[in-house]
């Protein structure tokens, strides 16, 4: 009787494990829906061109976020607003970070050397506004140079 239970449990467990296998041969439709650029016209787009366009747009958005942060610094320097802007900047960078890291590892390291301290300082309760200004300038400069290379 115990042998029957062990065999039955083994068969059930094996069936559960095997039911999860075999679905990886087809591309994930949900993933394809998340990438609208890939679906616009697959014949005319290459993966490399698409990635470059996504990276360029993302980097442009990060630069815009930095410019907005700099405006806030020169205006009233509201600590809560600065923290919020740092979070937004981080979110925008996160959307392209993996692609930049994979395709441009040297630039990735260079950009992150200033970007992450900038994001960290913007979230610091005791903000060093001069440090934020210095890091934002350095990060913006690196991102603009990177954009020139991607173009």
């Amino acid at each position: 009787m115990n042998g029957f239970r062990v065999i039955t449990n083994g068969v059930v467990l094996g069936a559960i494990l095997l039911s999860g296998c075999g679905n990886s041969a087809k591309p994930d439709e949900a993933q394809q829906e998340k990438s609208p650029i890939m679906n616009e016209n697959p014949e005319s787009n290459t993966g490399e061109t698409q990635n470059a366009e996504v990276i360029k747009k993302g980097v442009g958005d990060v630069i815009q976020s930095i410019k907005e942060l700099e405006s806030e610094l020169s205006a009233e320097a509201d600590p809560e607003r600065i923290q919020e802007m740092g979070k937004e900047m981080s979110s925008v960078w996160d959307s392209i970070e993996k692609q930049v890291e994979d395709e441009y590892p040297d630039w990735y390291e260079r950009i992150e050397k200033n970007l992450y301290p900038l994001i960290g300082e913007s979230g610091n309760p005791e903000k060093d506004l001069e440090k934020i200004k210095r890091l934002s300038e350095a990060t913006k400069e690196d991102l603009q140079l990177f954009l020139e290379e991607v173009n």
Side-chain angles (χ1 to χ4, degrees):
M1 193 69 159
N2 275 343
F4 180 73
R5 283 186 184 166
V6 170
I7 291 172
T8 304
N9 287 338
V11 169
V12 169
L13 181 60
I16 291 171
L17 291 174
L18 289 175
S19 69
C21 297
N23 290 334
S24 62
K26 295 180 182 179
D28 184 10
E29 290 177 16
Q31 182 63 29
Q32 287 178 344
E33 290 175 12
K34 290 180 185 175
S35 179
I37 293 176
M38 301 277 289
N39 293 329
E40 286 177 359
N41 189 354
E43 289 78 33
S44 67
N45 291 327
T46 65
E48 192 173 298
T49 303
Q50 293 167 354
N51 285 343
E53 291 303 315
V54 169
I55 289 172
K56 284 191 261 185
K57 182 187 179 329
V59 168
D61 291 346
V62 174
I63 291 171
Q64 184 60 38
S65 295
I66 292 171
K67 288 179 180 178
E68 290 170 7
L69 176 65
E70 289 174 333
S71 297
E72 183 65 30
L73 293 175
S74 61
E76 58 203 50
D78 175 21
E80 290 179 15
R81 180 72 179 129
I82 292 171
Q83 183 173 3
E84 181 182 314
M85 295 173 106
K87 287 178 183 179
E88 290 171 13
M89 186 185 327
S90 177
S91 177
V92 172
W93 174 249
D94 287 348
S95 70
I96 60 166
E97 178 179 18
K98 184 68 175 148
Q99 290 172 299
V100 174
E101 182 179 20
D102 290 346
E103 295 179 35
Y104 305 93
D106 294 337
W107 276 106
Y108 172 77
E109 287 182 34
R110 180 175 173 175
I111 293 166
E112 295 232 324
K113 193 182 326 177
N114 291 313
L115 179 62
Y116 275 124
L118 172 61
I119 292 168
E121 190 61 39
S122 69
N124 190 349
E126 301 296 321
K127 293 173 183 30
D128 181 343
L129 298 181
E130 288 305 312
K131 185 175 183 180
I132 291 174
K133 288 177 185 177
R134 190 176 67 250
L135 289 169
S136 67
E137 275 301 315
T139 304
K140 192 169 59 174
E141 182 180 322
D142 287 343
L143 289 168
Q144 288 170 335
L145 290 171
F146 174 62
L147 266 182
E148 289 174 17
E149 183 169 308
V150 174
N151 282 331

